[in-house]
């Protein structure tokens, strides 16, 4: 099980979601990804995308206008 | 949304595809403009998918879509919206997707006669043909008034349970939504794409005519959504942040553009797009001063960061409103 980081800073929604989707598609269940972004819309969109696709949000952090959304890849990832 | 629900009620497995062209009206503008912070920043497509309980795939088609906007075979609608070409393109992409992922057919929420350009009875077959989807494209909401498609003929879908909506009126759809228990159904018409917006289309046309070629990058079309745009001379324009959120967004472009801001008074960040000589820079500085809190002051100090040059300071008199012709505003 590996841990990854994905940089989606300065991208506007829905690009952070698209990047997360394409990145997660290559990962096995159980891996985790910290998605770094700056568009506050991602705080809404990435969790919504995770709910739909059966992934889990394991935490979100905000610091100096930067967000980190941590995702655990679900079993049914496609 | 209704078309999908109709399929789900027939026990069909449906997944959604949403194409991101760069022109979509989504969270961006809300995210950029601070005053819009209170508005929900939800992504409509994700929200709809969640309501319906289906998966949604968002596909970045920014690059491929350029050709649709730049050279639409069927022309534009009332603004720069190439709706018919756009539909053909999206259905073609959806068709490629279903072939790759082993799905059997495509559905759309189109209704005959609902849109003047892309949803007429005679354009429906154009989309089927030019997309290559042919009779694997089903429109559940108006299927009954169109020839039977493959999923209907094969009995995968019960044609009798589909609909025969037609025309611009939305009453039957609203009634159906109620029957299906859908109360908040997403944006019924148009407003999902900046290309249908007259002001936005004007700015895009200006960009092309100033450059002498029809071409754009993602950054160009993003910047058209932000700030006040003024073109004081044919060879340059300025983009003025209207509030803090826009200024912050524009800050991300400082490396790529000559930019300026007032230092003696609070004011916006101004990007300059094009080529500017010293007179032009002076004019840009006077405009920056006009949009700052020093607009009534005798002189305003402006810091100028010319691309590829050391920063400079200019002391300028702000332009008055009368000195800014309305034609400068894009
Ligand atoms: S409104 Fe925009 S997205 Fe919709 S069909 Fe027309 S060009 Fe395409």
């Amino acid at each position: 099980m590996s841990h990854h980081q994905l940089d989606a800073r300065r991208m506007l929604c829905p690009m952070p979601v698209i990047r997360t989707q394409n990145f997660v598609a290559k990962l096995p269940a159980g891996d985790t990804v910290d998605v770094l972004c700056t568009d506050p819309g991602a705080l809404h969109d990435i969790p919504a995308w995770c709910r739909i696709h059966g992934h889990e949000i394991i935490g979100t952090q905000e610091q100096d206008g930067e967000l980190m959304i941590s995702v655990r890849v679900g079993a049914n990832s496609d | 949304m209704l078309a999908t629900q109709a399929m789900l009620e027939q026990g069909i497995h449906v997944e959604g595809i949403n194409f991101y062209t760069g022109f979509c009206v989504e969270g961006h503008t809300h995210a950029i403009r601070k005053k819009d912070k209170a508005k929900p920043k939800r992504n409509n497509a994700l929200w709809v998918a969640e309501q319906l309980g289906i998966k949604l795939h968002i596909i970045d088609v920014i690059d491929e879509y350029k050709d649709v906007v730049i050279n639409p075979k069927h022309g534009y609608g009332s603004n720069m919206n190439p709706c018919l070409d756009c539909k053909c393109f999206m259905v073609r992409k959806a068709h490629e997707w279903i072939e790759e992922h082993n799905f059997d057919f495509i559905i759309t929420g189109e209704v005959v006669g609902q849109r003047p350009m892309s949803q007429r009875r005679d354009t429906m077959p154009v989309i089927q043909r030019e997309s290559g989807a042919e009779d694997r494209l089903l429109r559940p909401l108006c299927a009954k008034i169109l020839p039977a498609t493959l999923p209907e003929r094969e009995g995968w879908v019960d044609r009798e349970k589909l609909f025969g909506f037609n025309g611009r009126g939305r009453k039957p759809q609203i009634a159906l939504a109620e029957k299906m228990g859908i109360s908040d159904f997403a944006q019924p018409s148009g407003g999902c794409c900046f290309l249908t917006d007259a002001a936005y289309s004007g700015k895009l046309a200006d960009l092309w005519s100033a450059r002498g070629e029809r071409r754009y990058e993602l950054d160009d079309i993003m910047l058209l959504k932000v700030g006040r745009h003024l073109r004081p001379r044919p060879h340059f324009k300025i983009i003025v942040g209207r509030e803090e959120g826009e200024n912050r967004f524009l800050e991300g472009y400082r490396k790529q553009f000559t930019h300026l801001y007032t230092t003696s008074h609070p004011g916006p960040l101004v990007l300059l797009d094009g080529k500017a000589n010293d007179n032009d820079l002076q004019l840009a500085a006077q405009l920056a001063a006009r949009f700052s809190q020093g607009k009534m002051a005798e002189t305003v100090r402006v810091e100028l960061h010319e691309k590829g040059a050391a920063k400079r300071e200019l002391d300028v008199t702000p332009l008055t409103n009368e000195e800014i012709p309305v034609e400068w505003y894009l």
Side-chain angles (χ1 to χ4, degrees), chain B residues 4-5 43 56 59 63 78 144 268 277 289 296:
Chain B
T4 307
Q5 184 62 28
N43 173 303
L56 177 80
I59 303 179
D63 281 328
S78 45
K144 274 190 171 159
N277 60 29
M296 304 306 254

Side-chain angles (χ1 to χ4, degrees), chain B residues 97-116:
Chain B
W97 193 94
I98 66 162
E99 294 210 310
E100 201 179 312
H101 294 86
N102 292 321
F103 279 61
D104 297 310
F105 63 99
I106 302 162
I107 60 163
T108 67
E110 292 166 292
V111 167
V112 172
Q114 194 165 81
R115 298 267 198 284

Side-chain angles (χ1 to χ4, degrees), chain B residues 3-272:
Chain B
T4 307
Q5 184 62 28
M7 291 296 97
L8 294 172
E9 287 181 2
Q10 291 204 24
I12 290 161
H13 175 84
V14 184
E15 295 189 11
I17 309 183
N18 179 241
F19 295 104
Y20 180 59
T21 63
F23 293 102
C24 310
V25 180
E26 273 302 347
H28 321 97
T29 25
H30 304 304
I32 299 166
R33 296 199 67 174
K34 212 173 172 205
K35 76 175 177 56
D36 291 341
K37 277 247 159 88
K39 286 192 192 163
K41 286 184 213 70
R42 76 181 187 201
N43 173 303
N44 240 337
L46 281 169
W47 180 82
V48 168
E50 197 171 8
Q51 300 305 302
L52 293 166
I54 62 169
K55 286 189 176 178
L56 177 80
H57 310 277
I58 309 181
I59 303 179
D60 161 5
V61 291
I62 296 165
D63 281 328
E64 283 174 87
Y65 193 71
K66 287 178 183 168
D67 194 46
V68 179
V69 182
I70 297 172
N71 302 307
K73 186 170 150 197
H74 300 283
Y76 298 102
S78 45
N79 293 299
M80 296 286 261
N81 48 318
C83 291
L84 183 51
D85 289 84
C86 174
K87 292 243 164 79
C88 293
F89 169 82
M90 290 187 182
V91 175
R92 178 159 55 80
K93 297 303 293 178
H95 188 234
E96 287 168 17
W97 193 94
I98 66 162
E99 294 210 310
E100 201 179 312
H101 294 86
N102 292 321
F103 279 61
D104 297 310
F105 63 99
I106 302 162
I107 60 163
T108 67
E110 292 166 292
V111 167
V112 172
Q114 194 165 81
R115 298 267 198 284
M117 181 178 179
S118 57
Q119 295 190 30
R120 296 194 317 250
R121 189 181 281 272
D122 57 331
T123 59
M124 294 277 175
V126 175
I127 299 173
Q128 282 178 299
R129 199 172 55 237
E130 292 191 6
S131 64
E134 303 287 353
D135 65 354
R136 285 183 189 262
L137 172 59
L138 171 69
R139 286 101 165 188
L141 300 183
C142 58
K144 274 190 171 159
I145 54 172
L146 293 172
T149 57
L150 183 72
E152 294 159 281
R153 293 197 310 271
E154 291 292 321
W156 304 334
V157 167
D158 181 353
R159 181 173 165 97
E160 283 315 302
K161 292 193 187 136
L162 301 177
F163 305 92
F165 299 157
N166 114 54
R168 297 189 77 107
R170 306 191 62 84
K171 281 214 184 98
Q173 282 95 311
I174 293 167
L176 175 62
E178 249 166 48
K179 207 169 119 207
M180 288 173 164
I182 300 172
S183 54
D184 181 5
F185 83 108
Q187 66 83 34
S189 65
C192 59
C193 165
F194 269 108
L195 293 169
T196 58
D197 181 88
Y200 186 90
S201 296
K203 285 188 258 185
L204 182 60
D206 165 80
L207 183 89
W208 285 347
S209 84
R211 293 197 177 155
E213 57 176 341
R214 295 157 67 83
R215 190 181 58 74
Y216 66 81
E217 296 303 326
L218 182 62
D219 281 343
D220 296 324
I221 61 174
M222 286 298 170
L223 283 169
L224 294 184
K225 298 175 187 174
V226 183
R228 256 187 210 97
H229 291 234
L230 291 94
R231 184 174 293 285
R233 299 285 179 263
H235 49 278
F236 82 92
K237 77 166 175 180
I238 58 166
I239 306 171
V240 186
R242 285 174 295 196
E243 42 79 70
E244 205 190 313
E246 290 195 338
N247 286 332
R248 205 168 329 106
F249 178 74
L250 293 175
E251 273 172 20
Y253 290 90
R254 278 179 307 183
K255 279 206 188 85
Q256 285 154 262
F257 288 87
T258 291
H259 58 277
L260 43 160
Y261 47 88
T262 53
T263 49
S264 55
H265 300 79
L269 179 65
V270 176
L271 301 185
L272 189 148

